[in-house]
Amino acid sequence: MTDPSRELPRKRARTALGVAAGLLFLLTGALGLSGRSDWNPLATVPEQTAETIAASAVTVYVSLRAINAALSTAQEIEVGASVVGQASLQPLKVLEPVDDTVERVADAVFLVAAGAALAAVGLAPVVSIGLVVLGAALLGRFSLGRSPVLSRTVKPLCDKGIALGIAVGFAIPSVFVLAVWVGEQATAAQMSAAMAELDAVAQEANFLIGAEVDEAEAVSPAEEGDAGVLGWLSSRISEAGDSVSGVFEQSGRYLDAAQVFVEEADTILRSSLTIIGIFTLRMLVLPVFLLWGALSLLRTVLRPAGAR
């Protein structure tokens, strides 16, 4: 049998501890909502984690856009020559399907970066609101909840507030950081391989942008005058012949480059989808799974003993 003389000091100690914790959480949340959450690890650590994901996604987005710009520029390259008439062709128009695929994948990566940036901005206010709710619920639970008149109404409401505050103020940021860390450890090798493949293709894309038509060497007017009319006519005929042969030579070079990019289309798509899948796993799948488990455990702990 419990000794009433010992039980009363314990209840008072629990009440004092609960009120102190409520005041602490309420003050912490209020300071966070006023923009002073830099010292709160529950807000700063998830923010830094989300910023890291956003920076990685932006790096991938820039690489994809570099490939996209290279392919778009390459499609507009015209190779032509003129002797009596003039003819030109765009040998790299065959890259248009690859270009469209890269553009769509880049847009998807941009959505991932935007989501991470939104998380980086919104986690601190969300955590602060959770701490405010938790603090207010604790104060209500250990002060008004002990009143015989208000106990039936206030106590269930405060219990729900405590559960919500713990979930929002503690579970969400902690689970997010843990899930991202686990995802990084589990997918580090796949991420490095996919990034290396994209970087290699981006280098080929930059090379393709630089593969422009070689300009003919200019001849100074003094040299033309020294050569005379026959020399000038001979040089022009020679330049026309070189231009005609250059059309086929450059066209072949561009078509070879186009063939390389057509072959790399699978690599671009596979690497990009791998990166998108990794980001989705880190930011969505693992956090939701771990949060579901944490909330289930929290409901079990907070459930009354008679209802278990």
Side-chain angles (χ1 to χ4, degrees), residues 137 140-141 144-161:
R141 178 69 172 76
L144 299 177
R146 293 192 176 277
S147 172
V149 179
L150 300 176
S151 177
R152 289 186 177 182
T153 305
V154 174
K155 186 177 178 181
L157 184 62
C158 290
D159 289 341
K160 292 181 180 179

Side-chain angles (χ1 to χ4, degrees), residues 12 17 50 53 58 63 87 109 117 119 136 152 154 164 174 183 199 203 206 242:
R12 290 178 178 176
L17 182 60
I53 295 177
V58 167
S63 298
V109 174
R152 289 186 177 182
V154 174
L164 178 62
S174 302
D199 289 339
Q203 291 178 0
N206 292 328
D242 293 341

Side-chain angles (χ1 to χ4, degrees), residues 83-148:
V83 181
V84 178
Q86 185 173 356
S88 64
L89 68 155
Q90 293 176 310
L92 293 185
K93 275 295 183 181
V94 296
L95 292 175
E96 186 173 359
V98 182
D99 188 21
D100 292 340
T101 301
V102 172
E103 185 175 0
R104 288 183 174 87
V105 174
D107 292 339
V109 174
F110 179 78
L111 291 178
V112 173
L118 179 62
V121 173
L123 276 173
V126 169
V127 170
S128 299
I129 291 174
L131 293 177
V132 168
V133 172
L134 177 59
L138 285 174
L139 289 176
R141 178 69 172 76
F142 287 97
S143 58
L144 299 177
R146 293 192 176 277
S147 172

Side-chain angles (χ1 to χ4, degrees), residues 7 44 294 296:
E7 185 66 20
T44 55
S296 300

Side-chain angles (χ1 to χ4, degrees), residues 176-264:
F176 179 76
V177 173
L178 177 62
V180 171
W181 181 81
V182 171
E184 287 178 352
Q185 301 302 315
T187 59
Q190 295 90 328
M191 188 71 169
S192 299
M195 287 294 297
E197 290 178 347
L198 275 185
D199 289 339
V201 177
Q203 291 178 0
E204 291 188 55
N206 292 328
F207 173 77
L208 182 58
I209 289 181
E212 297 177 352
V213 179
D214 297 331
E215 297 181 357
E217 295 182 358
V219 181
S220 65
E223 292 176 350
E224 289 183 353
D226 294 340
V229 177
L230 293 178
W232 177 85
L233 182 59
S234 175
S235 64
R236 290 296 179 271
I237 294 174
S238 176
E239 289 175 4
D242 293 341
S243 180
V244 172
S245 62
V247 170
F248 297 101
E249 179 183 352
Q250 292 163 7
S251 298
R253 185 175 64 187
Y254 289 138
L255 290 174
D256 290 341
Q259 183 65 30
V260 170
F261 274 91
V262 170
E263 293 174 354
E264 293 291 346

